[in-house]
Amino acid sequence: MALFAAGGPAPTQHSTARKIAVTVGGLLVLMVILLSAFALPGVNTAVKDLPIAVSGDGLAPTQVTATLAKADAGAFDVSMVASEQAAQQEILNRDVYGALIVDTDGLTLDTASAASATVATALVPLAQQLGSTLNLPVTVHDIRPLTSDDPKGMGLTAGALPIALGGWLAAMGIIALIVGAWHRLIAAAVFSIGGGFALTGALFAIGTFDTNYWATSAAAMLGIAGTCYFVLGFERLLRGRGIGIAAVVLILLGNPLSGLASAPEMLPHPWGALGQLLPPGATGTLLRNVSFFDGAAITQPIVVLVAWAILGLTAYAVAGRRHQPRHAFDIHMDAATAATG
């Protein structure tokens, strides 16, 4: 008491100051991590192992591949194909981003800005450089362009992430407002269906998409459902820690690693590939391939999103079983008390 009377700090003051310091320090670390996660992929975006095809007659294609290897070592993963038709089919199948065709008319670059406007733009100066080196005229064909209302694909870049993260927001709202395990699952399903139609409709309205509305809506539904059930399951299983895990997966990692602004191959290895295994990246790829490429290469993103939904539902079921014994015991005790009372 004498120490406190002499003006010494109270224990509660020490405790409060420590809590403030720890809280502020933790939040600062979190902000630095968030800034790094969002900024580093963009800063380090570069062409590396980007798949392209080469075709033509005689020794010219070999000269093209040799020039590519010399000019941009490691930047491209070049495959030889038999004809321009075969090269274009690889583009439409999402196996490659572009093709360099050598024939009697010169050098033709086939691209698909719908696959990635950034990559399509980056391939043009490359083709011009090769044409100059090989003394060939250069022609550029965009065989699968973006829409005229959104020629840079900004709507897809900005819209796919809200569709994926919409599942997060829906889960938070359902947890706060809906009572009952089955009711929450039903609410998530209803929101996924309604959200898929509504959000896809918004992208059609602003001109990002102009074909395959129903299939694109179904893709959006799957993206929302995968995210929503994942958040619901982990929140029920781990409470606050589950929400934190979901935030890391969807926001800290999933958003910057989605590759929507450029291409997964342009992110530092292996982060681009990892991003395609997370809900935002898988959702963006699925929407792109369904709307612009008639469903080519959709197996992986569908499997990824279904796997996240199953993971969430499994966690939801495990949490339910964990709470069941206590609930059954409480019912038994209530019944016993009523019988003896």
Side-chain angles (χ1 to χ4, degrees):
M1 295 295 293
L3 176 63
F4 297 151
T12 55
Q13 292 176 323
H14 281 302
S15 177
T16 301
R18 189 180 300 110
K19 286 182 179 179
I20 292 174
V22 170
T23 300
V24 171
L27 290 173
L28 288 174
V29 170
L30 178 60
M31 289 183 65
V32 170
I33 292 174
L34 282 171
L35 175 63
S36 301
F38 278 78
L40 284 176
V43 170
N44 292 283
T45 294
V47 177
K48 186 172 178 61
D49 293 332
L50 196 72
I52 62 173
V54 173
S55 177
D57 299 322
L59 296 177
T62 305
Q63 291 175 312
V64 171
T65 56
T67 306
L68 279 172
K70 186 182 299 183
D72 296 280
F76 299 97
D77 181 8
V78 181
S79 61
M80 301 291 296
V81 295
S83 65
E84 182 174 10
Q85 290 75 17
Q88 291 181 349
Q89 193 58 52
E90 288 210 359
I91 294 174
L92 297 177
N93 289 341
R94 297 302 318 277
D95 294 323
V96 299
Y97 281 93
L100 295 165
I101 313 299
V102 180
D103 56 26
T104 55
D105 294 328
L107 176 65
T108 300
L109 169 65
D110 288 335
T111 65
S113 58
S116 170
T118 301
V119 172
T121 301
L123 289 176
V124 173
L126 171 69
Q128 293 171 341
Q129 178 187 349
L130 287 173
S132 176
T133 301
L134 300 173
N135 195 26
L136 295 172
V138 177
T139 304
V140 179
H141 291 156
D142 190 347
I143 66 171
R144 191 52 59 91
L146 291 158
T147 65
S148 58
D149 290 330
D150 187 10
K152 294 184 179 180
M154 298 303 296
L156 177 61
T157 302
L161 290 175
I163 287 177
L165 298 180
W168 159 277
L169 296 176
M172 293 295 96
I174 289 170
I175 290 168
L177 301 174
I178 305 297
V179 177
W182 282 104
H183 291 165
R184 288 182 174 181
L185 294 180
I186 293 171
V190 172
F191 179 85
S192 298
I193 296 171
F197 283 126
L199 294 176
T200 302
L203 290 175
F204 268 76
I206 64 177
T208 296
F209 300 138
D210 58 8
T211 58
N212 299 326
Y213 171 75
W214 298 106
T216 306
S217 296
M221 293 174 199
L222 183 57
I224 295 171
T227 302
C228 190
Y229 283 125
F230 165 60
V231 177
L232 284 177
F234 271 66
E235 187 280 333
R236 192 184 191 199
L237 182 65
L238 301 173
R239 301 305 183 194
R241 288 176 295 170
I243 295 176
I245 291 172
V248 169
V249 170
L250 299 173
I251 301 173
L252 190 60
L253 293 176
N255 188 2
L257 299 183
S258 66
L260 284 172
S262 54
E265 292 83 358
M266 296 185 72
L267 296 178
H269 292 330
W271 300 112
L274 174 62
Q276 294 303 295
L277 300 178
L278 302 177
T283 299
T285 297
L286 184 60
L287 289 171
R288 187 191 302 274
N289 291 356
V290 167
S291 182
F292 292 112
F293 293 91
D294 299 321
I298 61 174
T299 300
Q300 177 177 316
I302 288 176
V303 169
V304 168
L305 292 172
V306 170
W308 282 106
I310 291 175
L311 179 63
L313 289 170
T314 300
Y316 201 85
V318 169
R321 291 185 178 181
R322 187 178 63 185
H323 298 318
Q324 264 186 348
R326 177 180 296 179
H327 180 64
F329 176 77
D330 291 342
I331 293 176
H332 177 74
M333 290 302 295
D334 290 342
T337 302
T340 56

